[in-house]
């Protein structure tokens, strides 16, 4: 038996989030079965504190947001999904971070910019072997991403109606080009360090509205990923992978509520052991309805077979 719990609340201006899980009810195995993460966070809207910025926002077609995010966290056996690199685990982790988050949004373009500093102390699996390693980490991050809508279907309903049987949200057929640049400086308590810049770019295609019974929804997302890196992390969970690669995600309606999904990576470096072959593929079959969805998935790399259940519209008001 397993139990997952998520507690959300507030203390004054701080948001609290406690996530905990256990995969056994045997108390003797609790040290190897429990996972938890406690987070205290707060976001400060800098626009509200600045009348000039607020007045400029009213006069401009561009929506500008400017926040400072504060976070204090403590985790035990936190599992980190590294995508192309599979999963890694932080046995103990304690830290704090401060970030300045800005966004500019107009009719066809969205830009997000983040500056972040994080200080933490971690006990986690070593990069060089399977033993635990314990040290501190200072992290400096700067990232910027752009979403440019190249095309979007105009005649889309503003509100959902009875014709949407297979989705709780209105689907807007569109073509969007995404570009992101992420840079990071990592300094560790043992004297080691790593620096990296990651460039991602690629399109998202969405066609169909998922209202008809046959092939009325297709979505394809691709990203070219290029990394410049020096140094190495002593940990497995945050070591930057410098492989040049392509990412694919494809979703296709087959019949009625049945959706097939596939996602994978394609290494592009000639010397890579999986060069020319799709790696880390995940296959999924999903039954999508407006109020719920049921899915079964298989992760070929991790040999994981599982299912997911989503329930929507608990507070449905008829709109």
């Amino acid at each position: 038996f397993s139990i997952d719990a998520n507690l959300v609340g507030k203390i004054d201006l701080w948001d609290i989030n406690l996530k905990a899980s256990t995969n056994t009810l045997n108390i003797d195995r609790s040290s190897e079965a429990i996972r938890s993460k406690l987070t205290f966070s707060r976001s400060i809207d800098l626009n509200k504190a600045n009348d000039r910025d607020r007045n400029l926002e009213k006069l401009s077609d561009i929506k500008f947001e400017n926040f400072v995010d504060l976070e204090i966290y403590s985790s035990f056996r936190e599992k980190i999904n590294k995508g192309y690199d599979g999963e890694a685990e932080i046995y103990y982790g304690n830290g704090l971070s401060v970030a300045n988050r800005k966004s500019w949004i107009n009719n066809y373009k969205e830009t997000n910019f983040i500056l972040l500093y994080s200080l933490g102390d971690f006990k986690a699996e070593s990069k060089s072997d399977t033993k635990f390693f314990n040290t501190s980490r200072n992290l400096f991050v700067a990232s910027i991403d752009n979403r440019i809508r190249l095309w979007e279907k105009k005649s889309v309903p503003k509100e959902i109606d009875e014709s949407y049987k297979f989705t709780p949200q209105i689907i807007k057929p569109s073509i969007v080009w995404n570009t992101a640049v992420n840079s990071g400086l990592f300094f560790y308590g043992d004297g080691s360090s790593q620096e990296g810049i990651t460039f991602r770019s690629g399109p998202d295609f969405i066609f169909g509205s998922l209202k008809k019974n046959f092939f009325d929804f297709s979505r394809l997302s691709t990203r070219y990923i290029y990394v410049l890196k020096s140094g190495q992390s002593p940990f497995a969970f945050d070591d930057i992978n410098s492989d040049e690669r392509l990412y694919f995600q494809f979703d296709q309606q087959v019949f009625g509520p049945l959706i097939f999904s596939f996602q994978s990576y394609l290494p592009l470096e000639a010397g890579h052991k999986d060069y020319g072959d799709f790696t880390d593929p995940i296959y999924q079959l999903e039954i999508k309805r407006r109020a719920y969805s049921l899915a079964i998935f298989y992760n070929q790399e991790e040999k994981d077979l599982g299912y997911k259940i989503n329930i929507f519209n608990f507070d449905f008001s008829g709109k």
Side-chain angles (χ1 to χ4, degrees):
F1 293 94
S2 63
I3 297 174
D4 293 342
N6 190 12
L7 177 65
V8 179
K10 269 185 171 293
I11 294 180
D12 293 329
L13 299 175
W14 291 82
D15 296 313
I16 305 172
N17 194 330
L18 172 61
K19 292 184 178 181
S21 66
T22 177
N23 57 22
T24 180
L25 300 182
N26 187 332
I27 298 177
D28 295 335
R29 300 176 183 171
S30 60
S31 63
E32 300 176 0
I34 294 175
R35 299 183 188 275
S36 65
K37 185 172 185 178
L38 175 63
T39 303
F40 294 87
S41 60
R42 180 183 176 186
S43 291
I44 302 171
D45 188 346
L46 297 182
N47 282 350
K48 288 185 176 180
N50 191 321
D51 290 336
R52 176 179 175 274
D53 286 344
R54 189 164 65 248
N55 291 332
L56 284 175
E57 181 181 342
K58 292 178 181 178
L59 297 173
S60 174
D61 292 334
I62 299 176
K63 181 181 178 182
F64 174 66
E65 296 181 343
N66 189 8
F67 289 89
V68 169
D69 298 328
L70 307 173
E71 182 177 279
I72 303 171
Y73 61 88
S74 180
S75 63
F76 173 65
R77 296 189 67 241
E78 181 183 5
K79 186 176 287 188
I80 305 297
N81 187 343
K82 300 185 66 180
Y84 181 69
D85 290 336
E87 294 181 335
E89 183 179 273
I90 300 174
Y91 193 72
Y92 284 117
N94 299 287
L96 57 89
S97 66
V98 57
N100 181 213
R101 171 171 49 95
K102 303 181 185 214
S103 65
W104 298 264
I105 304 172
N106 62 17
N107 290 331
Y108 67 93
K109 183 179 179 181
E110 177 181 343
T111 301
N112 298 287
F113 178 71
I114 296 176
L115 288 174
L116 177 143
Y117 169 71
S118 176
L119 172 63
D121 186 77
F122 302 97
K123 179 179 181 181
E125 184 179 338
S126 171
K127 169 68 177 177
S128 57
D129 53 46
T130 57
K131 296 180 180 179
F132 284 127
F133 185 77
N134 192 180
T135 192
S136 60
R137 184 190 71 178
N138 284 273
L139 170 62
F140 300 87
V141 170
S143 68
I144 185 169
D145 65 80
N146 286 285
R147 286 174 48 85
I148 301 175
R149 286 192 293 274
L150 303 177
W151 171 80
E152 185 176 82
K153 186 177 180 181
K154 300 299 182 183
S155 57
V156 176
K158 294 183 179 180
E159 295 184 359
I160 200 164
D161 56 36
E162 64 275 4
S163 65
Y164 287 91
K165 298 181 294 183
F166 308 131
T167 172
Q169 296 177 326
I170 295 173
I171 295 174
K172 293 183 178 181
S174 60
I175 300 175
V176 178
W177 193 274
N178 305 269
T179 302
V181 179
N182 304 308
S183 61
L185 298 173
F186 302 72
F187 300 99
Y188 301 92
D190 68 338
S192 59
S193 65
Q194 66 170 339
E195 303 84 35
I197 299 177
T198 303
F199 173 79
R200 293 179 175 87
S201 187
D204 291 336
F205 300 95
I206 299 177
F207 299 110
S209 302
L210 198 54
K211 298 170 72 173
K212 301 176 183 178
N213 284 323
F214 293 97
F215 300 102
D216 191 34
F217 173 71
S218 302
R219 176 169 55 200
L220 173 65
S221 298
T222 66
R223 297 290 185 275
Y224 169 71
I225 303 171
Y226 182 77
V227 182
L228 293 172
K229 176 194 172 182
S230 64
Q232 181 174 291
S233 169
F235 295 118
F237 78 89
D238 70 346
D239 190 61
I240 300 172
N241 189 314
S242 59
D243 292 342
E244 184 182 2
R245 55 198 183 270
L246 278 176
Y247 169 76
F248 293 89
Q249 180 176 347
F250 177 67
D251 304 288
Q252 176 64 56
Q253 179 195 29
V254 180
F255 171 74
L258 187 63
I259 310 292
F260 169 76
S261 299
F262 170 78
Q263 58 178 305
S264 184
Y265 291 89
L266 181 66
L268 298 178
E269 295 183 8
H272 195 278
K273 62 182 179 65
D274 295 315
Y275 174 70
D277 296 325
F278 285 105
T279 63
D280 304 318
I282 300 176
Y283 305 89
Q284 178 174 286
L285 278 176
E286 183 177 18
I287 296 175
K288 292 179 69 72
R289 302 294 295 185
R290 180 166 165 175
Y292 65 89
S293 70
L294 307 171
I296 183 170
F297 65 88
Y298 177 65
N299 185 324
Q300 185 172 318
E301 183 72 17
E302 301 292 333
K303 300 294 188 293
D304 285 341
L305 178 67
Y307 65 89
K308 297 188 289 187
I309 300 174
N310 292 311
I311 300 176
F312 312 110
N313 299 332
F314 271 110
D315 294 321
F316 183 59
S317 61
K319 297 183 180 179

